[in-house]
Amino acid sequence: MADEALFQFLHSEIIQYVKGVESGESVRAWDTRETENGRCVSKLENMGFRVGQGLIERFTKDTPRFKDELDVMKFICKDFWTSVFKKQIDNLRTNHQGIYVLQDNKFRLLTQLSAGKQHLEHAPKFLAFTCGLVRGALSNLGVKSIVTAEVSVMPACKFQVMIQKM
Amino acid sequence: MAVCIAVIAKENYPLYIRSVPTQGELKFHYTVHTSLDVVEEKISGVGKALADQRELYLGLLYPTEDYKVYGYVTNSKVKFVIVVDSSNTSLRDNEIRSMFRKLHNSFTDVMCNPFYNPGDQIQSKAFDSIVSAMMVQAC
């Protein structure tokens, strides 16, 4: 059980550090809180992207090849999510036209933050790394996508994956 | 014992290609390049048995009079190609599979290295040593 906490602590520290670096760098008068936040989120997302690429290589080493996109998404929801967060995605919805919504009712990285609507404005930073993780995993499996996350009541959150057709 | 080993990215450019230096390297580069066509054909094989499609090991891609070419594709569409000498008929399928396994394990380690950017040439010494162990000893 201890190894779960390790990643959560590291994750919170990464977010604190990136926020610190960004506020340190933004000495310009016209930098608003939003652009700072935006840059934090991009940095975290890019970190998640690279980690996702490496992780997926390790996880798919022994699995047979995937049949199609839906198979890839199911793999992300079940095996990938279980390996990283020790649980599966609770709900996967799709419109069969390239948009998938992954719903996690008890997202591990948000459980420690709050149990309702408190601190909602800080939630996007906590989801950025995971968005990047999913985007990196998908990109290495040959699926170009954009991943965004939204949260209304913690710790439940939804990840929206938009597949980009080349 | 392989004569040439190549790792090809999913955009079909080589990430790593190494051959026994005594013979013309260009010839092996050309062979690996032409074998990519066969790999593509196998990956997108329509009408083949479902079991075939799900495997990572592609098997013998094509034999020529001097050597045989084997292929393997990972789930991230990175292809491994091994060229072996035809005269070395004692090499069994299982041995080739285990060579690919070792390559895949080593490649996964390279991928997880934070200093490696996916898409760059592979310059890892560990990967080099695994490949050298599999190549024919140039005497």
Side-chain angles (χ1 to χ4, degrees), chain A residues 50 57-58 61-62 65, chain B residues 55 76 101 105 111 116:
Chain A
R50 179 67 186 93
E57 188 69 47
R58 223 174 251 290
K61 205 159 56 155
D62 301 305
R65 271 185 278 154
Chain B
E55 258 228 39
S76 49
R101 254 319 58 229
N105 288 339
M111 254 318 234
Y116 170 73

Side-chain angles (χ1 to χ4, degrees), chain A residues 56-68 70-76 79 141, chain B residues 43 49-58 72-77 97 101 104:
Chain A
I56 209 71
E57 188 69 47
R58 223 174 251 290
F59 291 151
T60 58
K61 205 159 56 155
D62 301 305
T63 56
R65 271 185 278 154
F66 297 116
K67 282 196 303 243
D68 57 14
L70 192 57
D71 223 18
V72 171
M73 291 311 295
K74 285 201 235 171
F75 174 79
I76 300 271
D79 300 312
L141 289 172
Chain B
I43 298 181
L50 209 60
D52 272 356
Q53 286 210 355
R54 312 266 299 185
E55 258 228 39
L56 300 180
Y57 175 65
L58 298 173
Y72 180 99
V73 67
T74 68
N75 268 318
S76 49
K77 303 289 174 281
R97 275 180 201 262
R101 254 319 58 229
H104 197 173

